[in-house]
Amino acid sequence: MTRITEESSNYRHLEKMSVEELTSNLNKEDKTVALAIEKALPELNTLIKTIVSKIEHGGRLFYVGAGSGGRLSVLDVIELPTTFGVSPDLFNVILAGGKEHLIEALEEKEDDVNAAWLMLHEKKVSAKDIVIGISASGTTPFVLSGLKECRKQGITTACIVSNPGSIIAAESDIPVEVITGPEFVTGSTRMKCGTAQKMIFDMISTSTMVKLGRVLDNQMVNVKLINDKIVDRAVKMLMSNTGITVYHEAKQLLIEHGSVKLALDHFRGKRF
């Protein structure tokens, strides 16, 4: 298997570059990431449609990852209950070493070939769910073993990898291969691979939430009212969608119903 992610950087003698040269070259490399994702959009679209269907039929999404990719998936998933008002059980992360050790970067845990399935089993993963492996190399043992066991159990699998023809892709019903090429610092896949992973997580979660009806127009109408800034934003959303012009009236309606969406439903129900 070709490991493009481990190939030598296209740049030499980084230590001799000025700050201006470093940032210019880094920016040049980062510009290639979106183009790499564009090539994988057909597979990514299939994956998102499958996720939506699974959730609509009572299933859940599980990311299985280690290292930078696994940690980035945690950062995406923890935002969803607040942003879209969904259950925290809808999107899950099975992280090598455990989410409780997120900041410790336990890279050695990615070689554990038993942990992923045990952690999935504890979450009562089933054929209703979808399990997505995250691995820049496409070879991470923690991820690979988890996907293999899922396939044995008839659970739909997918992956996001950055090398073509990987063994993890071979264990995936829906492989998404985003080939970002050699890293600026040779082998440092926290860079372009990590950027691609973050962008893809955004695309998956946002598109899924839109298709599940958690967004109205372009607005977070199910956002949880957890602080003054969000309450103020929600009040203004409600005012723009109802024509209510008195701030405190809109705020009272919002607080009574707990979300912009429920307040809108009540307002429209009274009018019609």
Side-chain angles (χ1 to χ4, degrees):
M1 188 195 98
T2 302
R3 284 201 190 185
I4 297 173
T5 53
E6 298 297 323
E7 290 181 357
S8 181
S9 172
N10 294 321
Y11 303 83
R12 299 293 306 277
H13 306 298
L14 307 188
E15 74 281 4
K16 296 180 181 179
M17 292 183 185
S18 66
V19 169
E20 289 78 10
E21 289 171 319
L22 286 167
T23 57
S24 175
N25 288 327
L26 283 162
N27 183 240
K28 188 185 303 180
E29 289 298 299
D30 286 342
K31 287 177 183 178
T32 68
V33 175
L35 295 175
I37 293 173
E38 184 177 12
K39 294 176 181 177
L41 283 180
E43 294 77 19
L44 186 55
N45 294 340
T46 298
L47 175 56
I48 292 169
K49 290 173 185 177
T50 303
I51 293 167
V52 172
S53 177
K54 287 284 184 181
I55 292 175
E56 286 178 336
H57 290 87
R60 299 163 293 169
L61 179 151
F62 288 88
Y63 287 123
V64 177
S68 297
R71 291 190 287 273
L72 287 167
S73 69
V74 173
L75 297 180
D76 186 66
V77 165
I78 61 176
E79 298 280 358
L80 304 185
T82 297
T83 305
F84 299 105
V86 295
S87 166
D89 295 327
L90 204 61
F91 275 51
N92 304 270
V93 177
I94 303 299
L95 180 67
K99 287 188 292 183
E100 65 274 18
H101 298 294
L102 177 67
I103 64 172
E104 296 178 41
L106 301 177
E107 305 295 354
E108 70 276 9
K109 296 298 184 181
E110 72 175 48
D111 293 327
D112 192 326
V113 296
N114 299 310
W117 174 249
L118 290 174
M119 294 163 79
L120 284 162
H121 186 65
E122 287 177 3
K123 293 284 190 178
K124 295 182 171 55
V125 68
S126 75
K128 292 196 303 183
D129 304 319
I130 182 168
V131 178
I132 304 172
I134 311 300
S135 172
S137 69
T139 61
T140 310
F142 176 85
V143 177
L144 177 62
S145 60
L147 292 186
K148 279 185 174 180
E149 190 58 38
C150 284
R151 293 194 94 184
K152 289 179 187 177
Q153 302 296 328
I155 298 166
T156 301
T157 59
C159 70
I160 299 167
V161 296
S162 293
N163 282 310
S166 70
I167 52 178
I168 283 178
E171 292 295 336
S172 301
D173 300 307
I174 310 170
V176 178
E177 297 176 320
V178 181
I179 313 306
T180 50
E183 295 288 0
F184 185 72
V185 175
T186 299
S188 182
T189 53
R190 70 182 183 83
M191 303 182 77
K192 287 192 296 184
C193 286
T195 299
Q197 290 162 346
K198 175 63 170 69
M199 292 171 72
I200 290 169
F201 295 143
D202 285 344
M203 294 170 82
I204 289 173
S205 58
T206 302
S207 298
T208 298
M209 292 299 132
V210 170
K211 299 309 292 182
L212 291 174
R214 308 305 295 179
V215 174
L216 176 66
D217 188 11
N218 57 11
Q219 297 177 327
M220 298 182 289
V221 292
N222 288 286
V223 66
K224 283 192 175 179
L225 309 177
I226 58 172
N227 60 38
D228 291 342
K229 178 187 74 174
I230 291 177
V231 169
D232 179 64
R233 180 189 297 157
V235 170
K236 290 172 181 175
M237 265 192 270
L238 189 55
M239 293 173 73
S240 70
N241 281 283
T242 59
I244 296 173
T245 57
V246 180
Y247 186 93
H248 80 273
E249 289 182 9
K251 184 174 182 179
Q252 182 178 351
L253 180 63
L254 175 71
I255 299 303
E256 284 177 3
H257 295 280
S259 74
V260 176
K261 174 68 166 59
L262 292 175
L264 276 174
D265 289 345
H266 176 80
F267 180 83
R268 289 167 177 169
K270 283 186 67 175
R271 291 183 69 198
F272 302 103

